[in-house]
Amino acid sequence: MFNLIKSIFYETLSYFVPEKLVYNVTGECKKCGKCCNYMYSYDTYTEEEFKIMQKLFPTYKRFYIKGKDEEGNLIFACKLVTPEGLCSDYKHRPRMCRRYPAKRVAYPAKLHEGCGYKVNIKSFDDYLKK
């Protein structure tokens, strides 16, 4: 619970940074379903926190904890993705699914191998050209 409060605190502080580093995301969906079967939540660290999130937000009941990665981060998957990689409840999918991926992210995110989207990482020289 402390980590959740700490995350909210740091997220709030980030809004007061005068210039943020932002990465653009380009491309299109290939409908492979990898993003539905292997996802992270940057503010959920334990199974207990995930259960709380499911109680607070019933939409999260469609997700389950698939395991942990090599760094100990929880990996989530959706119960409603078909073997073909499509959403079986597409019309009623959560807002986070409708908006995935964000067109701009504040961190150099890694996307799945073969994903049709790409995070465009700028170099320091790119910022100097501005």
Side-chain angles (χ1 to χ4, degrees), residues 11 18 21 36 41 57 60 77 81 85 94 96 98 102 109 121:
E11 180 67 23
L21 186 61
C36 305
S41 173
F57 305 102
Y60 282 32
V81 68
M96 65 184 230
R98 289 192 305 264
I121 299 175

Side-chain angles (χ1 to χ4, degrees), residues 20-72:
K20 293 183 188 179
L21 186 61
V22 178
Y23 302 92
N24 292 324
V25 178
T26 56
E28 60 185 46
C29 182
K30 292 186 175 181
K31 297 177 178 46
C32 66
K34 291 178 184 176
C35 57
C36 305
N37 283 306
Y38 195 94
M39 61 183 103
Y40 288 95
S41 173
Y42 59 86
D43 58 357
T44 307
Y45 302 99
T46 65
E47 291 182 35
E48 293 80 24
E49 287 179 348
F50 180 64
K51 288 177 184 176
I52 292 169
M53 293 298 286
Q54 287 180 316
K55 288 178 183 172
L56 292 173
F57 305 102
T59 303
Y60 282 32
K61 290 181 181 176
R62 69 180 11 193
F63 303 112
Y64 66 95
I65 297 173
K66 188 173 186 172
K68 291 185 177 186
D69 67 6
E70 59 278 349
E71 296 172 10

Side-chain angles (χ1 to χ4, degrees), residues 89-124:
D89 191 21
Y90 188 79
K91 188 176 180 180
H92 300 104
R93 69 194 189 281
R95 183 172 34 177
M96 65 184 230
C97 298
R98 289 192 305 264
R99 291 183 172 180
Y100 182 85
K103 299 300 177 202
R104 299 175 70 157
V105 293
Y107 53 92
K110 293 181 184 177
L111 298 174
H112 301 286
E113 184 85 25
C115 179
Y117 291 105
K118 175 184 171 193
V119 178
N120 301 304
I121 299 175
K122 292 183 178 182
S123 69
F124 184 71

